[in-house]
């Protein structure tokens, strides 16, 4: 049987895959037009798999040379001659492995290239590209060059010189033969390579790759695409599941990020299904929530990279913190370095003109990461951790008691702080209080659509129980009444009878404490601090 792949290229005969034929058709149009472009997407976003599937399609009409710069060491970019020899060895090895000599390449030219390497004649990029131009001129079909993992080379001046040669031949393609189309794949946008190589302003936007077409093919997985993959799985395993609802729920957590989609499915298939004492159906809403919890507790190369990038780019980290904890709104501007980097790495997205975290799992991971910085230095976390056992009875979470104890702790420790402190830290402190109580068993996420400076809705999943806690700033009685109605409507969407309202009030006449009211047919527990 096939498996869900999370560690490399997907192979259709071995792995469950989302059908990407429509995306491949869009990319092929660019190739047919002779475009040079960069498939720059975040880590583990399906670039290598897409290139492999694309190559299979293109070989009917083109000679496809598919290279991987990971196979070249840093030392091989140390000087021009060494790079030329290493590149051509990789090029010719690929030609021989694919038996492209039988498929339209001129064997005489390839033999001449091999001899130039063996005799030491090949020394410059100019010589190398003259030979490649002759190879393109004598080939029976147009040649498409694909290079994966160009990031492994992008810190090197030699690589920029290589791009400059590609650009020169592209511009002179009417006079000298060259590759019909060139596809580079990596995380970084090659147009802005100077942003990585030389951070000084003078060279920042001086990449020789300004000939590239914009690559705007959506490589994320749609609900329909995930549904198709799950139908393949369900058919093979005779699995009982509501395929559409499962696909929809996975998409809500991942926004279609390919690696995260496969990671959830693999976790359910290999971990939850092997647990004979699970007590619930693995392929269910609760099963997905449990899988997400497992993923957030594990280390992975994706999150390791995320953690490293946050430390390396403090402006991006600061922006993400302000979005998550203060509900700040930032206009999406790709010329802002923090936004450009966050988007390029796949951590941020353009959400109707505003910057947003790209998916719910990334948000949950960021909350855990940022809150962990305060766990050792804030009494709120310690207080909740000490009181942990009293909040859980018979596997049931007592959210009423959590709010009651939080109000008491917050009033004792932070009640005398000013309005600026409460606006900046109040909601963060509640999440810090909540974290050790549900950690390891349940998890929470913030509903992105409701998060702003005035309102934040927290959704808690705990062993099949679901709670909605709305955190609001007090802005007067009229605004408060509207908020109660909002929460009641929100509970209706979640099919819940009871909800919670945590109010941060700066009114001198406020009544600190908890009360219970009815709004429509919903029970609202209101806690004021």
């Amino acid at each position: 049987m096939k498996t869900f792949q999370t560690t490399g290229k997907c192979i259709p005969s071995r792995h469950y895959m989302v059908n990407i034929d429509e995306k491949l058709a869009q990319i092929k149009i660019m190739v047919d037009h002779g475009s040079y472009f960069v498939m720059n997407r975040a880590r583990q976003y399906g670039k290598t798999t897409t290139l492999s599937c694309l190559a299979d399609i293109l070989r009917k009409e083109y000679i496809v040379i598919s290279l991987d710069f990971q196979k070249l060491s840093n030392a091989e970019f140390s000087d021009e001659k060494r790079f030329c020899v290493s590149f051509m060895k990789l090029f010719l090895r690929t030609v021989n492995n694919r038996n492209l000599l039988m498929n339209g390449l001129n064997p005489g030219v390839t033999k001449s290239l091999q001899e130039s390497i063996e005799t030491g004649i090949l020394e410059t990029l100019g010589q190398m590209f003259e030979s490649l131009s002759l190879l393109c001129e004598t080939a029976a079909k147009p040649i498409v060059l694909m290079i994966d993992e160009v990031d492994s080379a992008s810190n090197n001046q030699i690589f920029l010189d290589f791009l400059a040669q590609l650009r020169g031949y592209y511009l002179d393609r009417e006079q000298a033969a060259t590759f019909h189309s060139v596809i580079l794949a990596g995380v970084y946008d090659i147009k802005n390579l100077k942003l990585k190589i030389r951070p000084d302003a003078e060279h920042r936007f001086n990449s020789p790759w300004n000939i590239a077409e914009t690559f705007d093919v959506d490589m994320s997985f749609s609900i329909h695409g995930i549904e198709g993959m799950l139908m393949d799985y369900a058919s093979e395993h005779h699995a009982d599941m509501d395929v559409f609802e499962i696909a929809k729920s996975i998409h809500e957590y991942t926004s279609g990020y390919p690696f995260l989609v496969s990671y959830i499915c693999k976790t359910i298939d290999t971990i939850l299904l092997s647990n004979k004492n699970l007590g619930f159906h693995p392929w269910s809403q609760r099963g997905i929530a449990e899988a997400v919890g497992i993923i957030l507790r594990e280390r992975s190369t994706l999150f390791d990279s995320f953690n490293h990038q946050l430390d390396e780019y403090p402006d991006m980290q600061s922006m993400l913190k302000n979005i998550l904890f203060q509900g700040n709104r930032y206009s999406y501007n790709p010329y802002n370095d923090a936004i450009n980097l966050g988007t390029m790495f796949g951590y941020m997205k353009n959400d109707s003109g505003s910057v947003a975290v790209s998916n719910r799992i990334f948000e949950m991971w960021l909350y855990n990461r940022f809150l962990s910085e305060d766990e050792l230095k804030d009494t709120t976390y310690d207080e909740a951790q000490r009181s942990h056992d009293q909040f859980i009875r018979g596997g049931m979470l007592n959210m009423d008691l959590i709010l009651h104890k939080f109000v008491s702790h917050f009033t004792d420790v932070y009640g005398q702080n000013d309005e600026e402190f409460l606006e900046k830290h109040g909601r963060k402190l509640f999440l810090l209080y909540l974290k050790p109580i549900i950690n390891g068993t349940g998890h929470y996420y913030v509903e992105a659509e409701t998060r702003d400076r005035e309102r934040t809705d927290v959704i808690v999943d705990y062993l099949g129980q679901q709670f909605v806690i709305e955190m609001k700033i007090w802005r007067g009685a009229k605004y408060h009444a509207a908020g109660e109605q909002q929460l009641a409507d929100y509970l209706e969407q979640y099919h819940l009878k009871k909800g919670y309202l945590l109010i941060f009030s700066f009114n001198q006449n406020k009544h600190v404490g908890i009360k219970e009211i009815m709004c429509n047919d919903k029970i609202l527990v209101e806690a004021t601090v």
Side-chain angles (χ1 to χ4, degrees), residues 435-470:
K435 188 172 186 285
I437 298 172
I438 65 172
N439 198 28
T441 305
H443 63 256
Y444 62 80
Y445 60 88
V446 172
E447 184 55 67
E449 293 179 1
T450 67
R451 183 182 49 230
D452 57 32
R453 287 184 173 272
E454 309 298 338
R455 172 190 177 197
T456 298
D457 289 339
V458 180
I459 316 298
V460 176
D461 285 312
Y462 190 89
L463 297 178
Q465 295 174 273
Q466 199 164 55
F467 305 88
V468 176
I469 307 106
E470 182 175 311

Side-chain angles (χ1 to χ4, degrees), residues 97-109:
N97 288 344
R98 276 285 174 184
N99 200 22
L100 295 178
L101 298 179
M102 303 291 292
N103 197 31
L105 286 184
N106 187 310
V109 177

Side-chain angles (χ1 to χ4, degrees), residues 249-401:
S249 183
I250 290 174
H251 191 271
E252 286 172 352
Y253 276 102
T254 64
S255 296
Y257 197 113
F259 169 77
L260 295 176
V261 170
S262 295
Y263 203 175
I264 290 176
C265 294
K266 184 176 182 177
T267 302
I268 294 174
D269 183 49
T270 60
I271 297 178
L272 298 189
L273 274 171
S274 64
N275 185 348
K276 304 302 182 184
N277 301 315
L278 195 60
F280 57 88
H281 196 307
W283 290 103
S284 63
Q285 300 285 345
R286 184 174 172 185
I288 294 169
E290 184 69 21
V292 169
I294 292 171
I295 289 168
L296 292 173
R297 292 191 295 270
E298 290 182 341
R299 291 197 63 162
S300 71
T301 54
L302 180 62
F303 292 136
D304 285 346
S305 178
F306 201 168
N307 195 59
H308 170 72
Q309 304 291 8
L310 289 173
D311 291 335
E312 188 171 355
Y313 301 103
D315 288 346
M316 181 178 69
Q317 179 173 177
S318 178
M319 180 177 288
L320 287 167
K321 279 185 176 180
N322 291 336
I323 290 171
L324 295 179
F325 291 113
Q326 271 76 60
N328 286 8
R329 295 277 185 177
Y330 295 97
S331 297
Y332 187 86
N333 179 3
Y335 291 98
N336 177 296
D337 284 352
I339 296 173
N340 178 43
L341 287 167
T343 305
M344 194 164 61
F345 294 142
Y347 310 145
M348 297 177 179
K349 64 181 178 182
N350 182 354
D351 183 16
S352 302
S354 296
V355 179
V357 181
S358 60
N359 61 68
R360 185 185 293 171
I361 289 181
F362 280 178
E363 282 198 3
M364 296 165 74
W365 183 86
L366 283 168
Y367 277 116
N368 287 342
R369 200 265 197 188
F370 291 147
L371 289 173
S372 68
E373 297 172 356
D374 297 318
E375 289 177 4
L376 299 178
K377 59 186 179 183
D378 197 291
T379 60
T380 301
Y381 184 88
D382 290 339
E383 175 66 22
Q385 194 170 45
R386 282 193 298 269
S387 308
H388 173 274
D389 292 342
Q390 65 181 300
F391 299 121
I392 301 162
R393 288 289 184 270
M396 303 293 286
L397 188 66
N398 190 335
M399 187 59 69
D400 296 58
L401 185 59

Side-chain angles (χ1 to χ4, degrees), residues 27 30-37 58 62 142-146 170 173 178-183:
I27 302 173
M30 298 181 70
V31 172
D32 291 341
H33 288 166
S35 299
Y36 283 34
F37 57 94
L58 294 179
Y62 303 97
I143 300 177
V144 175
L145 177 66
M146 296 180 178
Y170 172 85
R173 55 169 54 182
T178 189
F179 300 110
H180 174 77
S181 176
V182 174
I183 307 170

Side-chain angles (χ1 to χ4, degrees), residues 52-71:
S52 177
C53 294
L54 179 65
D56 289 340
I57 293 173
L58 294 179
R59 286 191 181 98
K60 298 174 183 177
E61 303 172 39
Y62 303 97
I63 298 172
V64 180
I65 311 292
S66 185
L67 309 180
D68 185 345
F69 267 5
Q70 282 188 126
K71 295 178 180 177

